[in-house]
Amino acid sequence: MLVRVEGIVIRALDYGEGDKILSVFTRQAGKLSVMARGAKKIKSRYTAAAQLFTYGEYTFFRTHSMGTLRNAEIQHSYHKLREQLHTAAYAAYLAELTERLTGEGEPDEYLFEQLKAALDAVEQEKDPQIVVLIYELKMIAAAGYMPSLSECVSCGSAEGNMSFSPGMGGILCHRCKSRDNAAILLSEGALKLLRLFQRLDMRRLGKIEVKPVTKEQMRQCIRQYIDTHIDIKWKSRHFIDQMEKHGL
């Protein structure tokens, strides 16, 4: 069966001497695996289309679980993301989140638009840490692990200072904080932004400036939440940590 889809390459794995196996996140059919024969070769017509982050229209012949690429028309190469270590690292994490937390052949047009908008935002030099935070929340929701941020998960209160409990799945009021001594105290600003980011369409993200201490609070909350509920070792996130540690 010949299939034509609009998609973004979220993983490219070398296979044999000259081929690549692509994981393409598509608007129409979710994540699909495609064999791009000869894509490792410089003169191959698939070389550019098989690059990580490339957005385009892919036509492939599909029989069983994996298709064979027959044609590719690039709509946007995102080559600027790959040119700089900084942007490539964040874009790679966006791609890894998508690849690891979506199932094969499960359509999600909204999530496709969020990924494309997130890559656009990083390319446009919007704060990549904020872009990642928002997209992490999108992926957590898609995986079925959305934290509760509207009210205390223990007593239902929505008043007073709040802390975030990764283990209990959301925020705790000051009276219930003792139920989790490891809960992270949230500033009012951090909680407001988390609530905003939880429902924000990435396509509407403008220029945004967040205080470093607020951003760090949010990142700590979401990272610990992901690590508590999703047992995955994130290669690209580890690289980002090392990059930031050394001021790159």
Side-chain angles (χ1 to χ4, degrees), residues 129-226:
Q129 293 180 336
I130 293 299
V131 174
V132 161
L133 272 169
I134 298 172
Y135 194 70
E136 283 176 327
L137 285 167
K138 303 300 178 190
M139 290 309 310
I140 291 169
Y145 295 102
M146 180 60 81
S148 176
L149 299 174
S150 59
E151 60 186 26
C152 176
V153 293
S154 180
C155 72
S157 173
E159 299 178 353
N161 296 329
M162 295 288 180
S163 298
F164 184 81
S165 170
M168 295 185 69
I171 56 174
L172 294 171
C173 68
H174 66 282
R175 291 185 296 272
C176 297
K177 186 181 183 301
S178 59
R179 293 177 61 87
D180 181 3
N181 292 327
I184 304 163
L185 183 63
L186 283 171
S187 66
E188 184 178 350
L191 181 55
K192 283 183 177 180
L193 283 173
L194 282 173
R195 287 169 172 167
L196 172 64
F197 291 166
Q198 195 174 50
R199 61 180 184 273
L200 179 68
D201 188 323
M202 185 70 78
R203 291 169 289 186
R204 296 181 177 273
L205 178 65
K207 289 286 186 179
I208 184 170
E209 293 184 8
V210 180
K211 293 178 181 178
V213 64
T214 302
K215 190 160 51 177
E216 182 55 34
Q217 274 188 3
M218 292 190 293
R219 184 163 74 161
Q220 186 180 5
C221 288
I222 300 307
R223 176 169 293 195
Q224 289 190 22
Y225 187 83
I226 290 174

